[in-house]
PDB file of all heavy atoms in Angstrom:
ATOM      1  N   SER A  34      55.722-146.263 -29.564  1.00 85.00           N
ATOM      2  CA  SER A  34      56.321-145.337 -30.554  1.00 85.00           C
ATOM      3  C   SER A  34      55.186-144.678 -31.358  1.00 85.00           C
ATOM      4  O   SER A  34      54.025-145.116 -31.322  1.00 85.00           O
ATOM      5  CB  SER A  34      57.234-146.134 -31.507  1.00 85.00           C
ATOM      6  OG  SER A  34      56.427-146.912 -32.386  1.00 85.00           O
ATOM      7  N   LEU A  35      55.557-143.633 -32.068  1.00 87.00           N
ATOM      8  CA  LEU A  35      54.613-142.949 -32.918  1.00 87.00           C
ATOM      9  C   LEU A  35      54.078-143.877 -34.031  1.00 87.00           C
ATOM     10  O   LEU A  35      52.915-143.831 -34.419  1.00 87.00           O
ATOM     11  CB  LEU A  35      55.232-141.695 -33.566  1.00 87.00           C
ATOM     12  CG  LEU A  35      55.263-140.468 -32.672  1.00 87.00           C
ATOM     13  CD1 LEU A  35      56.010-139.352 -33.374  1.00 87.00           C
ATOM     14  CD2 LEU A  35      53.873-140.015 -32.287  1.00 87.00           C
ATOM     15  N   ILE A  36      54.995-144.714 -34.501  1.00 91.00           N
ATOM     16  CA  ILE A  36      54.579-145.632 -35.572  1.00 91.00           C
ATOM     17  C   ILE A  36      53.485-146.593 -35.087  1.00 91.00           C
ATOM     18  O   ILE A  36      52.459-146.777 -35.753  1.00 91.00           O
ATOM     19  CB  ILE A  36      55.783-146.414 -36.089  1.00 91.00           C
ATOM     20  CG1 ILE A  36      56.756-145.454 -36.772  1.00 91.00           C
ATOM     21  CG2 ILE A  36      55.367-147.533 -37.024  1.00 91.00           C
ATOM     22  CD1 ILE A  36      58.099-146.015 -37.136  1.00 91.00           C
ATOM     23  N   ASP A  37      53.697-147.143 -33.893  1.00 92.00           N
ATOM     24  CA  ASP A  37      52.714-148.023 -33.309  1.00 92.00           C
ATOM     25  C   ASP A  37      51.359-147.300 -33.125  1.00 92.00           C
ATOM     26  O   ASP A  37      50.293-147.835 -33.425  1.00 92.00           O
ATOM     27  CB  ASP A  37      53.128-148.579 -31.948  1.00 92.00           C
ATOM     28  CG  ASP A  37      54.280-149.560 -32.050  1.00 92.00           C
ATOM     29  OD1 ASP A  37      54.720-149.898 -33.184  1.00 92.00           O
ATOM     30  OD2 ASP A  37      54.780-149.990 -30.986  1.00 92.00           O
ATOM     31  N   ALA A  38      51.452-146.067 -32.640  1.00 94.00           N
ATOM     32  CA  ALA A  38      50.213-145.299 -32.420  1.00 94.00           C
ATOM     33  C   ALA A  38      49.456-145.099 -33.714  1.00 94.00           C
ATOM     34  O   ALA A  38      48.239-145.243 -33.757  1.00 94.00           O
ATOM     35  CB  ALA A  38      50.570-143.936 -31.779  1.00 94.00           C
ATOM     36  N   HIS A  39      50.159-144.778 -34.761  1.00 96.00           N
ATOM     37  CA  HIS A  39      49.482-144.540 -36.051  1.00 96.00           C
ATOM     38  C   HIS A  39      48.976-145.830 -36.661  1.00 96.00           C
ATOM     39  O   HIS A  39      47.950-145.821 -37.364  1.00 96.00           O
ATOM     40  CB  HIS A  39      50.402-143.757 -37.013  1.00 96.00           C
ATOM     41  CG  HIS A  39      50.405-142.288 -36.690  1.00 96.00           C
ATOM     42  ND1 HIS A  39      49.377-141.436 -37.088  1.00 96.00           N
ATOM     43  CD2 HIS A  39      51.242-141.534 -35.963  1.00 96.00           C
ATOM     44  CE1 HIS A  39      49.632-140.234 -36.658  1.00 96.00           C
ATOM     45  NE2 HIS A  39      50.751-140.248 -35.942  1.00 96.00           N
ATOM     46  N   LEU A  40      49.642-146.936 -36.429  1.00 96.00           N
ATOM     47  CA  LEU A  40      49.164-148.227 -36.907  1.00 96.00           C
ATOM     48  C   LEU A  40      47.801-148.556 -36.242  1.00 96.00           C
ATOM     49  O   LEU A  40      46.840-148.967 -36.876  1.00 96.00           O
ATOM     50  CB  LEU A  40      50.133-149.351 -36.653  1.00 96.00           C
ATOM     51  CG  LEU A  40      51.401-149.353 -37.504  1.00 96.00           C
ATOM     52  CD1 LEU A  40      52.396-150.359 -36.983  1.00 96.00           C
ATOM     53  CD2 LEU A  40      51.034-149.630 -38.950  1.00 96.00           C
ATOM     54  N   VAL A  41      47.731-148.321 -34.931  1.00 97.00           N
ATOM     55  CA  VAL A  41      46.481-148.549 -34.183  1.00 97.00           C
ATOM     56  C   VAL A  41      45.407-147.567 -34.655  1.00 97.00           C
ATOM     57  O   VAL A  41      44.287-147.962 -34.901  1.00 97.00           O
ATOM     58  CB  VAL A  41      46.714-148.471 -32.685  1.00 97.00           C
ATOM     59  CG1 VAL A  41      45.421-148.466 -31.919  1.00 97.00           C
ATOM     60  CG2 VAL A  41      47.600-149.612 -32.227  1.00 97.00           C
ATOM     61  N   LYS A  42      45.754-146.304 -34.765  1.00 98.00           N
ATOM     62  CA  LYS A  42      44.794-145.273 -35.181  1.00 98.00           C
ATOM     63  C   LYS A  42      44.212-145.644 -36.554  1.00 98.00           C
ATOM     64  O   LYS A  42      43.001-145.588 -36.793  1.00 98.00           O
ATOM     65  CB  LYS A  42      45.471-143.910 -35.230  1.00 98.00           C
ATOM     66  CG  LYS A  42      44.565-142.820 -35.782  1.00 98.00           C
ATOM     67  CD  LYS A  42      45.371-141.514 -35.905  1.00 98.00           C
ATOM     68  CE  LYS A  42      44.560-140.395 -36.514  1.00 98.00           C
ATOM     69  NZ  LYS A  42      44.361-140.548 -37.944  1.00 98.00           N
ATOM     70  N   ASP A  43      45.079-146.019 -37.489  1.00 98.00           N
ATOM     71  CA  ASP A  43      44.605-146.360 -38.838  1.00 98.00           C
ATOM     72  C   ASP A  43      43.715-147.615 -38.808  1.00 98.00           C
ATOM     73  O   ASP A  43      42.706-147.636 -39.529  1.00 98.00           O
ATOM     74  CB  ASP A  43      45.805-146.580 -39.769  1.00 98.00           C
ATOM     75  CG  ASP A  43      46.578-145.309 -40.050  1.00 98.00           C
ATOM     76  OD1 ASP A  43      46.072-144.205 -39.765  1.00 98.00           O
ATOM     77  OD2 ASP A  43      47.715-145.406 -40.577  1.00 98.00           O
ATOM     78  N   ALA A  44      44.074-148.584 -38.016  1.00 98.00           N
ATOM     79  CA  ALA A  44      43.244-149.779 -37.901  1.00 98.00           C
ATOM     80  C   ALA A  44      41.852-149.447 -37.340  1.00 98.00           C
ATOM     81  O   ALA A  44      40.831-149.948 -37.800  1.00 98.00           O
ATOM     82  CB  ALA A  44      43.933-150.826 -37.042  1.00 98.00           C
ATOM     83  N   LEU A  45      41.818-148.567 -36.343  1.00 98.00           N
ATOM     84  CA  LEU A  45      40.550-148.160 -35.764  1.00 98.00           C
ATOM     85  C   LEU A  45      39.719-147.405 -36.819  1.00 98.00           C
ATOM     86  O   LEU A  45      38.500-147.676 -36.954  1.00 98.00           O
ATOM     87  CB  LEU A  45      40.777-147.274 -34.553  1.00 98.00           C
ATOM     88  CG  LEU A  45      41.315-147.999 -33.314  1.00 98.00           C
ATOM     89  CD1 LEU A  45      41.825-146.989 -32.271  1.00 98.00           C
ATOM     90  CD2 LEU A  45      40.279-148.895 -32.701  1.00 98.00           C
ATOM     91  N   GLU A  46      40.320-146.501 -37.530  1.00 98.00           N
ATOM     92  CA  GLU A  46      39.594-145.721 -38.537  1.00 98.00           C
ATOM     93  C   GLU A  46      39.077-146.625 -39.650  1.00 98.00           C
ATOM     94  O   GLU A  46      38.008-146.345 -40.218  1.00 98.00           O
ATOM     95  CB  GLU A  46      40.450-144.609 -39.026  1.00 98.00           C
ATOM     96  CG  GLU A  46      40.600-143.507 -37.992  1.00 98.00           C
ATOM     97  CD  GLU A  46      41.556-142.369 -38.412  1.00 98.00           C
ATOM     98  OE1 GLU A  46      42.328-142.555 -39.378  1.00 98.00           O
ATOM     99  OE2 GLU A  46      41.421-141.323 -37.781  1.00 98.00           O
ATOM    100  N   ARG A  47      39.812-147.656 -40.025  1.00 98.00           N
ATOM    101  CA  ARG A  47      39.323-148.634 -41.032  1.00 98.00           C
ATOM    102  C   ARG A  47      38.053-149.310 -40.588  1.00 98.00           C
ATOM    103  O   ARG A  47      37.244-149.751 -41.422  1.00 98.00           O
ATOM    104  CB  ARG A  47      40.398-149.630 -41.395  1.00 98.00           C
ATOM    105  CG  ARG A  47      41.452-149.134 -42.345  1.00 98.00           C
ATOM    106  CD  ARG A  47      42.308-150.249 -42.913  1.00 98.00           C
ATOM    107  NE  ARG A  47      42.948-151.068 -41.913  1.00 98.00           N
ATOM    108  CZ  ARG A  47      44.119-150.764 -41.329  1.00 98.00           C
ATOM    109  NH1 ARG A  47      44.765-149.675 -41.670  1.00 98.00           N
ATOM    110  NH2 ARG A  47      44.645-151.580 -40.427  1.00 98.00           N
ATOM    111  N   GLU A  48      37.870-149.437 -39.272  1.00 97.00           N
ATOM    112  CA  GLU A  48      36.662-150.020 -38.716  1.00 97.00           C
ATOM    113  C   GLU A  48      35.639-148.965 -38.354  1.00 97.00           C
ATOM    114  O   GLU A  48      34.668-149.245 -37.616  1.00 97.00           O
ATOM    115  CB  GLU A  48      36.985-150.853 -37.449  1.00 97.00           C
ATOM    116  CG  GLU A  48      37.942-152.014 -37.708  1.00 97.00           C
ATOM    117  CD  GLU A  48      37.330-153.073 -38.600  1.00 97.00           C
ATOM    118  OE1 GLU A  48      36.098-153.324 -38.461  1.00 97.00           O
ATOM    119  OE2 GLU A  48      38.048-153.657 -39.429  1.00 97.00           O
TER     120      GLU A  48
END
Side-chain angles (χ1 to χ4, degrees):
S34 71
L35 280 175
I36 294 169
D37 291 357
H39 280 280
L40 288 171
V41 170
K42 176 186 175 286
D43 292 346
L45 289 166
E46 288 177 341
R47 279 193 305 274
E48 297 296 323

